[in-house]
Amino acid sequence: MDPIRIIEIKKSVFADNNEDAEALRRELKARGVYLLNLMSSPGSGKTTTLIRTLNLLKDRLRIAVMEADIDSDVDAVKIKEATGVSSIQLHTGGMCHLDAEMTRQGLSGVDVPDLDLVVLENVGNLVCPAEFDTGAVRNAMILSVPEGDDKPLKYPLMFSVCDTVVINKIDVLPYFDFNLEKCREYILRRNPRARIFPLCAKTGEGVEAFADWLYGEVISWKNTQNR
Amino acid sequence: MDPIRIIEIKKSVFADNNEDAEALRRELKARGVYLLNLMSSPGSGKTTTLIRTLNLLKDRLRIAVMEADIDSDVDAVKIKEATGVSSIQLHTGGMCHLDAEMTRQGLSGVDVPDLDLVVLENVGNLVCPAEFDTGAVRNAMILSVPEGDDKPLKYPLMFSVCDTVVINKIDVLPYFDFNLEKCREYILRRNPRARIFPLCAKTGEGVEAFADWLYGEVISWKNTQNR
């Protein structure tokens, strides 16, 4: 396997991240590229969920993954080995989030022709990444059962900015005090339009529904490319 | 029950946080107060671990808890109800960490005479809190089994600044691919002096060892108060 490409992300110089994010979204639209910003706590299963999802989509879409991490290239190597999908690692040098300019630096390292979908695996953190628009078409987040059903109450901004919430590790529901219905209610309280996908990335249960949703998103984004 | 006191934390004006943290530690030493800075990901069980620990220590020490949270007073209410220990909530207003001056603002709201121990439950986040010295005597962190044994590889700074690592939720070890020995090795690679306490806050297994260690820490800090 080729070594994983590692991009050392520099601090942004742009004063207005929101403006910059809008500009990046327009650029991506013009190119017909769908960017998904995937966020979560450390250890909620972002990488495993992604591997399952990519394996369902990789024959239908041209995909690249950007793995943001403070250090290490553990995740990018894992993704490439398990799916064959082109992955690069973004080193944030201690920074706890990515903004639009940092995302653009990452995108410049993606080397896939006629790209349809880029998934940005953001830094594992429920606080800071929620505060910065990366220029993604959608924000999604993964909450895992062991973290508890009260997280939408404690991290309101994260659940407000995410249109899609994956509830991962549903196989261990019997061993934790996690009320799925209550969690759904808390999520919808933060974002009434949120789509919620309960699944188990380890066994694959429920992943198809999430992958199908993502496929539909990409296609409809591309269909409006020139509008 | 009296309503929980909520302190709205302001941004710090101090330029040099390290200097400020040293000053706070000296002030605490002069007062014989031990400050423990407890960090973790969201949902790793900080509050439950704390409740168990406080119930083992509250008759031997005068204790207060400061619960840092972006919003809500869920945790401070829980602590007070379950232990009777004086708890205040620190609202960080979206900030993802606490520094020494913010900790001092919190301490000014603690109203317990002849205090021995203050536990600061930091914002749930493995990135930013590791970068700021709060003035605590020790940093401790909780890693829970469902988060995975590779976290010391992915969050190196957090595991370097912590002298004490609690591995929580050991009751679910059979349901996760978590290698306790490998995790121990990764932790010690970051901090060779780290003390590691595997425990289950839900059942109480192993909590006594952690509580005993903390008790010993407080006593020895007080014994050297005037040196």
Side-chain angles (χ1 to χ4, degrees):
Chain A
M1 202 179 81
D2 293 338
I4 289 292
R5 183 184 294 206
I6 298 179
I7 313 270
E8 305 289 340
I9 299 288
K10 310 269 183 310
K11 264 206 173 142
S12 297
V13 292
F14 282 82
D16 189 334
N17 181 59
N18 288 341
E19 220 169 80
D20 194 29
E22 284 302 336
L24 178 56
R25 237 182 320 271
R26 281 194 302 273
E27 290 161 40
L28 290 169
K29 183 140 206 167
R31 289 171 53 196
V33 176
Y34 185 98
L35 175 63
L36 181 72
N37 176 27
L38 188 59
M39 298 179 281
S40 84
S41 293
S44 67
K46 279 197 298 299
T47 309
T48 313
T49 305
L50 208 46
I51 287 172
R52 287 270 181 195
T53 308
L54 294 174
N55 278 331
L56 291 172
L57 295 178
K58 66 182 179 188
D59 296 332
R60 294 188 277 167
L61 298 171
R62 279 147 303 194
I63 311 176
V65 173
M66 304 196 293
E67 291 286 332
D69 220 333
I70 302 170
D71 203 354
S72 92
D73 63 356
V74 180
D75 290 335
V77 171
K78 235 193 255 177
I79 295 270
K80 204 166 181 180
E81 283 181 353
T83 66
V85 166
S86 174
S87 315
I88 60 172
Q89 186 81 42
L90 314 183
H91 276 180
T92 63
M95 278 179 289
C96 51
H97 66 277
L98 290 176
D99 62 17
E101 165 55 19
M102 290 147 87
T103 303
R104 190 183 274 114
Q105 290 174 38
L107 285 166
S108 71
V110 171
D111 188 20
V112 176
D114 302 321
L115 196 61
D116 299 311
L117 166 65
V118 182
V119 182
L120 169 62
E121 199 186 309
N122 214 313
V123 182
N125 182 330
L126 292 189
V127 185
C128 323
E131 293 167 23
F132 295 88
D133 189 341
T134 58
V137 181
R138 291 263 184 233
N139 294 321
M141 70 89 64
I142 303 184
L143 171 67
S144 66
V145 166
E147 294 170 59
D149 53 28
D150 61 346
K151 288 300 155 292
L153 301 180
K154 298 177 76 178
Y155 299 90
L157 185 61
M158 174 56 78
F159 287 86
S160 305
V161 302
C162 284
D163 297 314
T164 304
V165 178
V166 166
I167 301 181
N168 191 20
K169 307 190 189 179
I170 56 168
D171 59 320
V172 296
L173 273 169
Y175 313 113
F176 290 90
D177 303 326
F178 187 101
N179 186 322
L180 201 55
E181 280 320 300
K182 218 159 65 178
C183 188
R184 242 185 243 279
E185 184 200 317
Y186 294 155
I187 292 168
L188 294 173
R189 212 185 280 176
R190 297 298 174 204
N191 185 347
R193 298 161 310 157
R195 279 159 194 272
I196 301 169
F197 294 98
L199 57 82
C200 173
K202 199 168 138 192
T203 63
E205 186 189 347
V207 177
E208 217 172 305
F210 176 65
D212 285 347
W213 165 80
L214 185 54
Y215 182 76
E217 281 279 300
V218 175
I219 298 305
S220 90
W221 177 252
K222 292 182 87 75
N223 283 344
T224 59
Q225 184 177 348
N226 299 317
R227 280 182 224 160
Chain B
M1 202 181 76
D2 294 338
I4 291 291
R5 182 185 296 204
I6 298 180
I7 313 271
E8 305 291 340
I9 298 289
K10 309 270 184 310
K11 265 208 172 139
S12 296
V13 292
F14 283 81
D16 189 334
N17 181 59
N18 288 342
E19 217 169 81
D20 194 29
E22 284 302 336
L24 178 56
R25 236 181 322 270
R26 281 195 301 273
E27 289 163 39
L28 290 169
K29 182 137 205 169
R31 289 171 54 197
V33 177
Y34 185 99
L35 174 64
L36 181 73
N37 176 26
L38 189 59
M39 298 178 283
S40 84
S41 292
S44 67
K46 280 197 298 299
T47 309
T48 314
T49 304
L50 208 47
I51 287 172
R52 286 273 182 191
T53 307
L54 294 174
N55 278 330
L56 291 172
L57 295 178
K58 66 184 180 186
D59 296 332
R60 295 188 276 167
L61 297 171
R62 278 146 305 192
I63 310 177
V65 173
M66 304 194 296
E67 291 287 330
D69 221 333
I70 303 169
D71 203 353
S72 93
D73 63 356
V74 180
D75 291 335
V77 170
K78 235 193 253 175
I79 295 270
K80 204 167 180 177
E81 283 180 356
T83 67
V85 167
S86 174
S87 314
I88 61 172
Q89 187 82 43
L90 313 183
H91 276 181
T92 63
M95 279 178 287
C96 51
H97 67 276
L98 290 175
D99 62 16
E101 166 55 19
M102 290 148 88
T103 305
R104 190 183 274 114
Q105 290 174 39
L107 286 167
S108 72
V110 172
D111 189 20
V112 175
D114 302 319
L115 195 61
D116 299 311
L117 167 65
V118 182
V119 181
L120 169 62
E121 200 185 305
N122 213 313
V123 182
N125 182 329
L126 292 190
V127 185
C128 324
E131 293 168 22
F132 295 89
D133 189 342
T134 58
V137 181
R138 291 264 183 234
N139 293 321
M141 70 89 64
I142 302 183
L143 171 67
S144 66
V145 166
E147 294 169 59
D149 52 28
D150 62 346
K151 289 300 154 293
L153 301 179
K154 299 177 74 177
Y155 299 89
L157 185 63
M158 176 55 80
F159 287 85
S160 304
V161 302
C162 284
D163 297 314
T164 305
V165 178
V166 166
I167 301 179
N168 190 20
K169 308 191 189 177
I170 56 168
D171 59 321
V172 296
L173 273 169
Y175 313 113
F176 290 90
D177 303 324
F178 187 101
N179 186 324
L180 200 55
E181 280 320 300
K182 217 158 69 180
C183 188
R184 240 185 245 277
E185 186 201 315
Y186 294 155
I187 293 169
L188 294 173
R189 212 186 278 177
R190 297 298 175 205
N191 185 347
R193 296 161 312 157
R195 278 159 195 273
I196 301 169
F197 294 98
L199 55 82
C200 173
K202 198 167 139 195
T203 63
E205 187 191 346
V207 177
E208 217 172 305
F210 176 65
D212 285 347
W213 165 80
L214 185 54
Y215 182 76
E217 281 279 300
V218 175
I219 297 304
S220 90
W221 177 252
K222 293 182 87 75
N223 283 344
T224 60
Q225 183 178 347
N226 299 315
R227 278 182 224 163

